[in-house]
């Protein structure tokens, strides 16, 4: 696994709490069978034909950079209706 950053998701009224922190990793190999959950139906897609219309509003702003070898360290803020408010850089404590 290659660590590629941290993304914090902040959404007004979220039942999961005010902020969810996610750690981003990339892998070039996978063995096993992906398992469907109540949040996601896994699928394989050509990197040039990703289903952007089925993803969260800002995914097309940061995911291409990750797939190209970049990093992501930001907070994505959304309204209760899943409208993007903005993407803001994460800063270390004390900055």
């Amino acid at each position: 696994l290659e660590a590629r950053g941290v993304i914090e998701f902040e959404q007004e009224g979220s039942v999961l709490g005010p902020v969810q922190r996610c750690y981003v990793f990339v892998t070039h190999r996978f063995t096993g069978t992906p398992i469907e959950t109540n949040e996601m139906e896994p699928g394989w897609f050509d990197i040039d034909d990703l289903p952007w219309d089925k993803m969260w509003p800002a995914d097309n702003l940061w995911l291409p950079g990750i797939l190209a070898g970049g990093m992501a360290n930001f907070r994505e803020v959304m309204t209760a209706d899943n409208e993007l408010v903005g993407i803001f850089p994460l800063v270390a404590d004390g900055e």
Side-chain angles (χ1 to χ4, degrees):
L1 287 178
E2 298 172 16
R4 293 289 177 89
V6 176
I7 302 173
E8 292 182 348
F9 295 95
E10 180 178 342
Q11 185 174 24
E12 177 184 319
S14 173
V15 297
L16 299 174
V19 177
Q20 295 89 53
R21 176 173 274 199
C22 300
Y23 296 88
V24 180
F25 295 90
V26 171
T27 185
H28 300 278
R29 298 187 305 250
F30 178 81
T31 58
T33 303
I35 298 171
E36 184 173 348
T37 69
N38 61 350
E39 292 184 2
M40 181 193 67
E41 178 184 341
W44 299 108
F45 302 94
D46 186 289
I47 200 165
D48 295 321
D49 193 30
L50 296 174
W52 298 111
D53 60 323
K54 295 180 180 177
M55 296 183 187
W56 287 103
D59 288 355
N60 66 335
L61 301 176
W62 62 268
L63 185 55
I66 294 291
L67 297 174
M71 300 290 290
N73 291 291
F74 63 87
R75 177 177 285 200
E76 179 179 318
V77 180
M78 296 186 304
T79 68
D81 295 326
N82 297 327
E83 295 293 325
L84 180 65
V85 173
I87 292 178
F88 307 95
L90 288 180
V91 294
D93 290 339
E95 290 187 22

